Amino acid sequence: MGKSNSSRDWTQIYAIYGMDQWQTLVFLLCHAVFFSLLSIIFLFYFGSIFHFFQTFFPSPGAARFAAGFSGAVTSISAVCLFFAAANFLYSAGPLHYEMAQRMVGSVYDWSSVKLALDIGCGRGILLNSVATQLKKTGSSGRVVGLDRSKRTTLSTLRTANVEGVGEYVTCKEGDVRSLPFEDNYFDVVVSAVFVHTVGKEYGHRTVEAAAERMRVVGEMVRVLKPGGVGVVWDLLHVPEYVRRLQELKMEDIRVSERVTAFMVSSHMVSFRKPSQHVVGPGEVRLDWRC
């Protein structure tokens, strides 16, 4: 999968799209500052802390080690929390934008695309990247953004207008586990850091959650036209998606190198839906539903 050279200033991205789950960033930063202050206290008041530990450890050596170890853990925790906050900030904006460009680049011919779908469109970074590509190619196509929240879809339409691609974008509220579209409807289906959130009410690593994610993958394939292309960037569970796509006899399945996003492993997978499936001497069309 080729990398995109497109880049954009961080401030531009956040000015237009804002940030989802900003509470997580605040949580990380507050704890990072807290542990930083503790580290400073350990540094300037080590003697007093050492004497405090002596009440628990009779040996001066053991008390000194315990005080020093506690100070080191506190300092390392502060560094790790600042790093996590920085990675979260980067992943939510610049990395998301960069991966959106790479996903768009995975579809080699946008001139023939009439309808595209972004599942879990969220703030619209990927959605608007697809719309921008349609605009560049002079296409008369449109991209539909699907999200579980009507409030989100209204916000996404506003960002599309800011980006100057409002006429190429439509947003719809719906359940991703049962997409409100006919079979073989879209030329391209995309999704960015969304599928892993489906079924989270069961717990991410449960059988029930995995089954819900597989339903979404099956729905993506169902609404994709024969010969159409699907591209998914997601966290943690991409190997599951690949196995499901193989079961559904998808073609040209490609997985990108590992990308660290939100402090975990992520990959991009692209695939093409075959025009038909041959079994023995006859031709049988697959039922793409899960």
Side-chain angles (χ1 to χ4, degrees):
M1 294 183 183
K3 291 186 178 181
S4 171
N5 293 323
S6 301
S7 61
R8 199 171 189 180
D9 186 75
W10 288 39
T11 55
Q12 269 189 316
I13 297 170
Y14 285 115
I16 295 172
Y17 297 101
M19 173 180 284
D20 286 334
Q21 298 179 333
W22 57 268
Q23 299 94 332
T24 302
L25 180 63
V26 172
F27 175 86
L28 291 170
L29 286 174
C30 286
H31 281 76
V33 170
F34 172 74
F35 278 100
S36 297
L37 293 173
L38 279 182
S39 300
I40 294 172
I41 291 171
F42 267 93
L43 180 64
F44 286 99
Y45 298 96
F46 184 80
S48 300
I49 294 170
F50 164 66
H51 290 304
F52 171 76
F53 273 98
Q54 276 189 309
T55 60
F56 301 98
F57 300 95
S59 169
R64 189 175 295 277
F65 173 80
F69 180 78
S70 299
V73 169
T74 302
S75 300
I76 293 171
S77 298
V79 172
C80 290
L81 285 164
F82 274 121
F83 179 79
N87 183 262
F88 188 91
L89 184 66
Y90 172 68
S91 300
L95 179 61
H96 196 149
Y97 181 82
E98 178 188 338
M99 293 302 295
Q101 306 311 305
R102 291 180 59 182
M103 293 174 74
V104 168
S106 296
V107 180
Y108 297 107
D109 183 15
W110 283 97
S111 61
S112 60
V113 173
K114 299 301 180 186
L115 277 174
L117 172 66
D118 179 9
I119 297 177
C121 60
R123 295 171 291 157
I125 293 178
L126 175 58
L127 182 76
N128 291 337
S129 295
V130 171
T132 299
Q133 185 63 32
L134 290 173
K135 185 177 181 179
K136 283 180 180 178
T137 58
S139 170
S140 59
R142 296 180 68 85
V143 56
V144 179
L146 186 79
D147 201 272
R148 292 173 288 199
S149 166
K150 185 174 182 179
R151 180 179 178 182
T152 299
T153 58
L154 293 174
S155 175
T156 303
L157 286 172
R158 286 194 291 270
T159 66
N161 289 325
V162 171
E163 293 279 30
V165 291
E167 67 271 26
Y168 293 88
V169 171
T170 301
C171 287
K172 187 177 180 69
E173 180 186 4
D175 184 359
V176 297
R177 287 167 284 200
S178 181
L179 295 175
F181 305 105
E182 298 175 358
D183 296 359
N184 309 319
Y185 194 73
F186 294 98
D187 302 290
V188 173
V189 177
V190 296
S191 181
V193 286
F194 173 77
V195 180
H196 73 280
T197 66
V198 178
K200 64 182 180 181
E201 63 270 21
Y202 300 108
H204 282 292
R205 299 192 179 278
T206 63
V207 173
E208 293 84 358
E212 294 295 280
R213 292 191 294 269
M214 294 308 98
R215 282 184 63 187
V216 177
V217 174
E219 283 291 285
M220 290 179 65
V221 172
R222 177 182 68 80
V223 301
L224 192 61
K225 289 180 181 178
V229 176
V231 190
V232 179
W233 171 46
D234 206 15
L235 314 177
L236 299 172
H237 305 293
V238 170
E240 295 177 6
Y241 311 158
V242 172
R243 286 193 295 271
R244 183 59 180 150
L245 291 169
Q246 290 171 337
E247 291 171 358
L248 293 171
K249 310 299 182 185
M250 294 297 101
E251 297 178 345
D252 298 332
I253 300 174
R254 300 183 183 185
V255 181
S256 73
E257 73 279 8
R258 178 181 182 274
V259 177
T260 300
F262 302 100
M263 296 299 293
V264 297
S265 172
S266 77
H267 294 82
M268 184 171 70
V269 58
S270 65
F271 62 93
R272 184 171 62 85
K273 183 174 179 177
S275 299
Q276 55 193 14
H277 185 58
V278 179
V279 180
E283 295 181 352
V284 181
R285 291 186 180 276
L286 285 177
D287 179 6
W288 302 108
R289 295 179 185 272
C290 288

